[in-house]
Amino acid sequence: MDKNAIKKYAVWARNELIDRVSNRAEEYEVSAEADTKADSIKGVMLSETEKKQRAALIAKIKNVGFDQVMEEVAYTWFNRFIALRFMEVNDYLPSRIRVFTNEKNEFQPEILSEALYLELEGLDKAKVISLLESNQTEELYKYLLITQCNDLNTSLPEMFEKIQNYTELLFPNNLLKEGSVLSCMIS
């Protein structure tokens, strides 16, 4: 095992995730001075859930600072990704469906091809079908990954506390792209 490669990846992934979650915060126009009562951002209406998550995020930033919150969220996502990968490699996932790779260990998440057959607590099959039909692969992957994490809360509550707060709002974009934190983790 090349420990230097792991160390190098961990440092890079930390910085990359901080950048990604910070970009998500910017997309939602989040800062310590932001209006917590906004109904829309850049002309796009926010859902009630997004409004609550955004308000909680702004309150947290006012309390501890933007950089601290971004680092905490990046750390949370990094830990979850690593834990899921460990469980995937060792066949510990209760669903037995791989989250990041296919059976050949290629970066082609089996969870996407098996989305209609997943049995996870809280999984909305109608939402899965809608995302599949509209070809929203990134959004589907985000939904499945968050649902998988929430489902694991039952067996591993310390590692996978329910994601219903601003951590979900700051879920990094473009995780399925070549060169993403996830594709580099696999390689």
Side-chain angles (χ1 to χ4, degrees):
M1 174 184 289
D2 185 357
K3 291 183 181 178
N4 286 328
I6 293 171
K7 287 178 189 177
K8 184 178 176 182
Y9 167 75
V11 170
W12 173 83
R14 174 188 175 271
N15 292 326
E16 181 70 11
L17 284 169
I18 289 170
D19 286 346
R20 293 286 175 179
V21 299
S22 297
N23 289 341
R24 293 289 290 158
E26 289 173 19
E27 288 174 23
Y28 282 97
E29 297 180 354
V30 169
S31 69
E33 298 79 33
D35 177 14
T36 59
K37 306 249 189 273
D39 289 328
S40 66
I41 301 296
K42 300 176 186 170
V44 177
M45 293 300 293
L46 297 175
S47 70
E48 288 303 316
T49 301
E50 287 174 318
K51 288 178 197 177
K52 290 176 186 171
Q53 291 170 336
R54 185 176 177 276
L57 176 58
I58 292 168
K60 181 75 171 186
I61 288 170
K62 285 180 181 179
N63 189 32
V64 299
F66 185 86
D67 291 342
Q68 179 66 31
V69 174
M70 295 307 112
E71 187 154 343
E72 287 174 12
V73 173
Y75 179 80
T76 298
W77 281 119
F78 179 80
N79 282 340
R80 287 182 180 165
F81 296 154
I82 296 299
L84 284 168
R85 180 64 176 151
F86 177 83
M87 293 173 78
E88 174 179 275
V89 168
N90 291 291
D91 200 25
Y92 293 157
L93 289 167
S95 68
R96 301 287 188 245
I97 295 176
R98 298 171 74 84
V99 177
F100 303 117
T101 60
N102 60 18
E103 67 280 347
K104 296 177 186 172
N105 204 35
E106 300 165 327
F107 183 52
Q108 296 174 354
E110 184 181 39
I111 198 168
L112 286 170
S113 61
E114 298 294 322
L116 291 174
Y117 310 105
L118 280 173
E119 295 296 330
L120 299 173
E121 183 181 323
L123 184 71
D124 180 349
K125 295 275 186 174
K127 183 172 184 167
V128 170
I129 291 168
S130 173
L131 291 169
L132 281 168
E133 287 175 349
S134 60
N135 208 25
Q136 295 181 17
T137 308
E138 279 283 338
E139 191 62 31
L140 175 61
Y141 189 63
K142 171 186 173 180
Y143 176 68
L144 295 173
L145 197 60
I146 289 171
T147 304
Q148 176 69 78
C149 288
N150 286 342
D151 183 65
L152 287 168
N153 172 260
T154 307
S155 53
L156 297 166
E158 295 297 317
M159 176 59 75
F160 294 102
E161 69 182 48
K162 294 268 187 195
I163 305 170
Q164 297 170 333
N165 59 16
Y166 58 80
T167 305
E168 180 179 347
L169 191 71
L170 298 179
F171 187 87
N173 284 335
N174 301 316
L175 289 176
L176 295 174
K177 304 277 188 231
E178 190 64 36
S180 72
V181 169
L182 297 183
S183 75
C184 291
M185 176 179 66
I186 300 308
S187 63

